[in-house]
Amino acid sequence: MSWMQKLYETYESCQSLVGEKEQENRTPLMPIYHTTQQAQIEAVIDTDGRWRSARVLEDKKERTTLIPCTEKSAARTSKPVPHPLFDNLTYLAGDYTKYRSLKEDRCSEYISQLSEWCSSPYSHPKVRAVLEYLKRGCLMEDLIREGVLYRDASGSLPEKWEGEKGNEPPIFRAATGVPAGAFVRFQVVQAGGSEDLHSRIWEDKSVWQTFIDYQNSLPADRDYCYVLGKELPVSMLSPKYIRRPGDNAKLISANDKDGFTYRGRFETPSQAFCIGRETTEKAHNALKWLIPRQAYVNGDQVILTWRTDGGKTLDPCKSSLDLLYDLEGGDPVISTGEDFAKRFRNALRGYGGRLTGGEQACILGLDSATPGRLSIFYYREMKEKDLLDRMELWHGSCCWHFSSYPKNTGGFRPKERPVPFVGAPSPETIAQAAYGKQLNDKLKKSAVQRLLPCVGDGAKLPQDIMLCAARRASNPVALDDNDYGNTLAVSCALIRKYYNDKENDQENDWKNRKVKNIKDYKERWKMALDTGETDRDYLFGRALAYAQKLESYALSLMEEKRSTNAERMQAAFSQHPARAWRTLYQSLQPYLQKLGPRGSRYQSELNKVISTIGMKNFTNEPLNEIYLLGYASQMDAFNEEMRKAVSHKNELAGTGAEEEEKQ
């Protein structure tokens, strides 16, 4: 349970941030014995317990409400258990049954529980005002009179709006379920005064502290906390709402007394695991706070990386581009992939230079085992310098030429161009390249989960993911231009890493591995075109690139836009290269004649590549994935040559224009 100890330490390190407002309506670091709820109604009373007003909270950004909770209410499911102060109308309204039927009386238990708090030495005037008002049993009546709750012509409270869409009362837009079951919070203003920030009970730190003191004063079973190793009041229930509001999955649970969860091995749940209530509260509150701030979230899957002092650290689920934006803390202007690579290396070095050696970094992966249970599929804790080495190795070894929009700045922005960068794609991008953008969440989560150890531990790249991406990249006619370009780039990054890792003879155990950082990593397969490479697959890939270039060049001169024979035959070419090449080369002849002298250089270079393959290797033996490296590297060389030619032409045009102006 070291993950819980690290979360507890994080909470202790960030005590000064408890209750501070977060940006974008994120969950704050909550005080212990508190949780958050989404309120739909806000009622205002005065310190004498008299009604003032109420309104529907239509803006989602202002609904998140910090509420006191007991151990049982924080973990409640279908069994009625009231929260101590704020709750839904079925608990708060003493007159609820006048307007709707209810199986059990929930209000009496709520009033009894709140009365115990108010009669203790840890009472609070604002809380007593809420109690005095709710004892009168007129909340439903007051909300109906204010027009907050809607009554139809028959006088009943409908469960859903039957009228014209767009004309529904606000409560139907705010409530996620039945409006009569809406969650209510209170403001308490001074008698004769007006509403202000001090009247918001859910933001009043003095109310928080009185409830914490009250809870700590209650008798509780004591036992040894397995996390802290101390005798403390212990908890038998675990908080929920861990990943988001409404999330019912729990990390710790032992409520199946009649099944076989612990029977036969333990007599009680505490024999299997025992944790202090304050310990679990602080650990879970730290987790709830960290997830919306800095975790990768894919549906129910959460991958959180954090430092035990509460600070952010390097995120293993981000691409090199997004990571640079994090490191530089702004919106850097990047002109070329080489410029990016230099800045990325400098940013990592600068980040490492700020580390003292004592920083602890943790990576925690969560997913739903069942709707009510959370599983931890990955957990690592290490020195942050070790994480830096592993991240640097990943981003330096699994890289290619990319062009993308950074997610940190809001993703795609129509008026701006994608940023060129030389680096590693994110695990999610790799999953999309391997299985397509329309892959289901289950497959995406599985792929990301399998790739996480490659980043965080330096584990070997799964071969099947690399092969899936390579197969998709070998069939360009099945993909649109943007998807194909990204798939090819990701495939080349994976192929390079997979085969370079084999060259480096990496082992699964990080500590015993020969290569521990990028400085020790040797690369045979590089991103730049290697004209001296004699590998058969690499050379066939280069030959395919020449065929693609010659035909596309001719089509551009003819002002035709269609798929080339090289693109249509690429899948067949990868399986039967010699036979497919003969067909492909014959189809090139008309285009070679069309190009004339302009294509002679390319043809001469192509013949040199073919001759290097040699008759012995010019067979129908299927090509392995290395051919994509030769193809992509050769195409990148063509594109770079074209960019330089265009740049030179523009420079000459600019010089000529300046001379004309002088004349």
Side-chain angles (χ1 to χ4, degrees):
M1 300 298 289
S2 60
W3 59 271
M4 182 164 282
Q5 181 181 358
K6 293 301 178 185
L7 287 168
Y8 175 85
E9 291 174 6
T10 302
Y11 188 95
E12 292 291 281
S13 299
C14 301
Q15 285 275 11
S16 61
L17 301 176
V18 171
E20 294 295 324
K21 287 188 176 181
E22 291 283 330
Q23 295 178 352
E24 302 172 2
N25 201 35
R26 294 186 303 216
T27 301
L29 182 59
M30 296 180 291
I32 56 174
Y33 314 141
H34 285 72
T35 187
T36 56
Q37 282 281 1
Q38 298 296 302
Q40 291 86 40
I41 297 174
E42 182 176 295
V44 183
I45 60 175
D46 64 20
T47 49
D48 293 333
R50 290 192 294 263
W51 177 265
R52 295 288 291 271
S53 64
R55 67 186 181 103
V56 176
L57 299 172
E58 296 188 70
D59 188 354
K60 293 182 180 180
K61 293 181 179 180
E62 61 174 340
R63 290 181 189 168
T64 301
T65 307
L66 188 65
I67 68 166
C69 64
T70 64
E71 186 179 10
K72 290 183 178 180
S73 72
R76 77 183 185 189
T77 51
S78 57
K79 186 178 179 180
V81 181
H83 288 305
L85 184 57
F86 304 138
D87 216 319
N88 63 52
L89 286 168
T90 61
Y91 289 98
L92 302 183
D95 56 344
Y96 189 88
T97 53
K98 292 182 180 179
Y99 302 92
R100 291 185 62 84
S101 61
L102 198 62
K103 292 181 180 179
E104 65 279 303
D105 179 14
R106 298 183 176 184
C107 186
S108 297
E109 188 176 352
Y110 167 84
I111 294 295
S112 175
Q113 181 176 262
L114 185 56
S115 297
E116 290 177 6
W117 178 11
C118 290
S119 61
S120 74
Y122 308 101
S123 179
H124 194 283
K126 292 180 181 178
V127 178
R128 290 198 298 269
V130 173
L131 176 62
E132 289 302 315
Y133 169 73
L134 291 177
K135 278 182 176 179
R136 297 171 184 166
C138 56
L139 179 57
M140 294 290 287
E141 179 184 344
D142 289 337
L143 291 174
I144 292 171
R145 187 181 67 253
E146 288 280 340
V148 171
L149 292 180
Y150 171 78
R151 298 181 74 178
D152 58 21
S154 65
S156 62
L157 300 173
E159 294 186 1
K160 59 181 180 179
W161 176 247
E162 301 290 351
E164 185 179 348
K165 188 176 181 180
N167 291 333
E168 66 271 14
I171 188 62
F172 288 95
R173 294 192 294 270
T176 54
V178 179
F183 197 94
V184 182
R185 70 187 186 195
F186 288 92
Q187 285 196 53
V188 178
V189 300
Q190 289 294 328
S194 58
E195 299 173 25
D196 57 27
L197 295 177
H198 300 291
S199 63
R200 299 175 180 176
I201 307 180
W202 60 94
E203 295 179 357
D204 192 331
K205 293 184 179 181
S206 64
V207 176
W208 305 346
Q209 191 57 51
T210 55
F211 183 72
I212 292 171
D213 294 339
Y214 170 63
Q215 287 292 294
N216 286 333
S217 70
L218 297 177
D221 294 333
R222 297 178 68 87
D223 206 334
Y224 277 97
C225 171
Y226 283 26
V227 176
L228 300 183
K230 300 177 182 178
E231 188 178 19
L232 300 168
V234 294
S235 170
M236 290 293 106
L237 298 172
S238 178
K240 53 184 181 178
Y241 306 146
I242 293 172
R243 294 168 294 185
R244 58 186 175 273
D247 178 23
N248 289 320
K250 300 176 185 178
L251 274 166
I252 304 171
S253 181
N255 60 354
D256 188 11
K257 301 176 184 178
D258 302 322
F260 294 91
T261 303
Y262 52 83
R263 282 176 63 190
R265 181 169 297 185
F266 304 108
E267 291 183 353
T268 63
S270 61
Q271 292 176 340
F273 180 69
C274 192
I275 184 171
R277 185 185 174 192
E278 187 172 326
T279 307
T280 190
E281 286 275 345
K282 289 182 176 180
H284 280 84
N285 285 356
L287 186 57
K288 294 176 187 179
W289 174 61
L290 289 167
I291 286 175
R293 291 177 82 237
Q294 58 202 67
Y296 164 82
V297 180
N298 172 37
D300 288 338
Q301 185 185 63
V302 171
I303 299 173
L304 171 66
T305 310
W306 84 98
R307 280 180 11 188
T308 51
D309 62 0
K312 292 184 179 182
T313 185
L314 302 176
D315 190 339
C317 292
K318 287 190 174 181
S319 68
S320 299
L321 178 62
D322 290 327
L323 203 56
L324 178 66
Y325 273 59
D326 282 350
L327 291 170
E328 293 200 348
D331 195 355
V333 178
I334 300 166
S335 56
T336 65
E338 289 71 21
D339 174 41
F340 173 90
K342 182 178 179 181
R343 292 175 66 167
F344 185 72
R345 287 194 300 270
N346 291 337
L348 285 179
R349 289 171 189 160
Y351 182 82
R354 295 192 296 270
L355 300 178
T356 62
E359 298 88 349
Q360 281 278 328
C362 303
I363 306 175
L364 177 68
L366 302 172
D367 202 357
S368 291
T370 67
R373 299 291 182 272
L374 267 178
S375 64
I376 297 176
F377 64 82
Y378 184 87
Y379 178 70
R380 299 290 186 274
E381 55 185 63
M382 65 199 81
K383 296 292 184 182
E384 196 169 13
K385 284 191 173 182
D386 291 338
L387 177 60
L388 175 62
D389 284 342
R390 301 177 193 191
M391 294 282 284
E392 191 175 11
L393 179 60
W394 168 260
H395 287 270
S397 61
C398 187
C399 55
W400 198 257
H401 302 276
F402 289 92
S403 185
S404 181
Y405 295 91
K407 292 183 179 180
N408 309 50
T409 56
F412 176 74
R413 292 172 291 178
K415 294 183 180 180
E416 298 191 17
R417 296 181 179 180
V419 177
F421 72 97
V422 175
S426 67
E428 183 176 331
T429 301
I430 293 174
Q432 291 174 347
Y435 306 112
K437 289 185 176 180
Q438 303 304 318
L439 79 167
N440 59 48
D441 287 340
K442 185 176 181 180
L443 186 56
K444 184 194 292 185
K445 288 194 293 184
S446 174
V448 171
Q449 183 173 331
R450 294 177 64 202
L451 288 166
L452 186 57
C454 302
V455 188
D457 300 336
K460 287 185 177 181
L461 188 72
Q463 185 183 23
D464 60 300
I465 293 179
M466 180 272 291
L467 291 175
C468 285
R471 288 191 199 102
R472 292 189 74 242
S474 296
N475 192 18
V477 292
L479 308 172
D480 60 51
D481 291 342
N482 291 333
D483 193 11
Y484 174 68
N486 186 67
T487 301
L488 178 61
V490 172
S491 299
C492 289
L494 298 179
I495 294 166
R496 279 188 70 245
K497 177 162 181 61
Y498 181 80
Y499 284 98
N500 281 332
D501 283 356
K502 291 182 72 174
E503 295 282 338
N504 282 273
D505 192 27
Q506 288 187 320
E507 302 173 8
N508 286 328
D509 182 10
W510 172 265
K511 293 181 180 178
N512 297 326
R513 168 171 306 146
K514 296 176 183 178
V515 179
K516 291 189 177 182
N517 53 56
I518 195 64
K519 295 177 183 178
D520 301 327
Y521 195 78
K522 297 178 182 179
E523 292 185 345
R524 174 186 174 183
W525 305 105
K526 300 179 173 59
M527 288 181 288
L529 176 65
D530 186 355
T531 55
E533 179 59 62
T534 58
D535 181 84
R536 169 184 180 267
D537 305 286
Y538 191 88
L539 291 171
F540 264 117
R542 288 186 63 194
L544 181 66
Y546 273 100
Q548 166 69 16
K549 177 64 178 177
L550 283 165
E551 186 172 351
S552 60
Y553 186 17
L555 290 175
S556 66
L557 294 176
M558 298 161 59
E559 297 184 351
E560 291 186 21
K561 190 174 182 180
R562 59 173 174 80
S563 298
T564 64
N565 289 302
E567 291 171 328
R568 290 195 292 270
M569 295 182 64
Q570 186 170 341
F573 177 83
S574 65
Q575 296 301 310
H576 309 284
R579 183 171 64 195
W581 178 255
R582 293 186 184 96
T583 304
L584 189 57
Y585 191 74
Q586 289 176 0
S587 68
L588 280 177
Q589 299 310 307
Y591 301 109
L592 289 171
Q593 294 176 7
K594 178 72 177 176
L595 291 173
R598 286 177 291 189
S600 59
R601 179 174 70 86
Y602 288 134
Q603 186 176 11
S604 175
E605 293 174 0
L606 171 58
N607 292 337
K608 185 177 179 181
V609 171
I610 296 297
S611 65
T612 306
I613 296 175
M615 293 300 296
K616 182 180 179 181
N617 292 323
F618 207 88
T619 65
N620 279 319
E621 181 184 349
L623 302 174
N624 71 15
E625 307 74 38
I626 294 292
Y627 94 91
L628 286 171
L629 294 182
Y631 174 80
S633 297
Q634 187 65 65
M635 291 301 297
D636 285 343
F638 289 145
N639 294 334
E640 182 61 25
E641 182 183 0
M642 183 179 296
R643 281 192 292 269
K644 288 181 178 179
V646 171
S647 177
H648 181 63
K649 184 178 179 180
N650 292 337
E651 287 177 3
L652 291 177
T655 303
E658 290 176 0
E659 290 178 353
E660 289 178 4
E661 288 179 3
K662 291 178 181 178
Q663 293 175 358

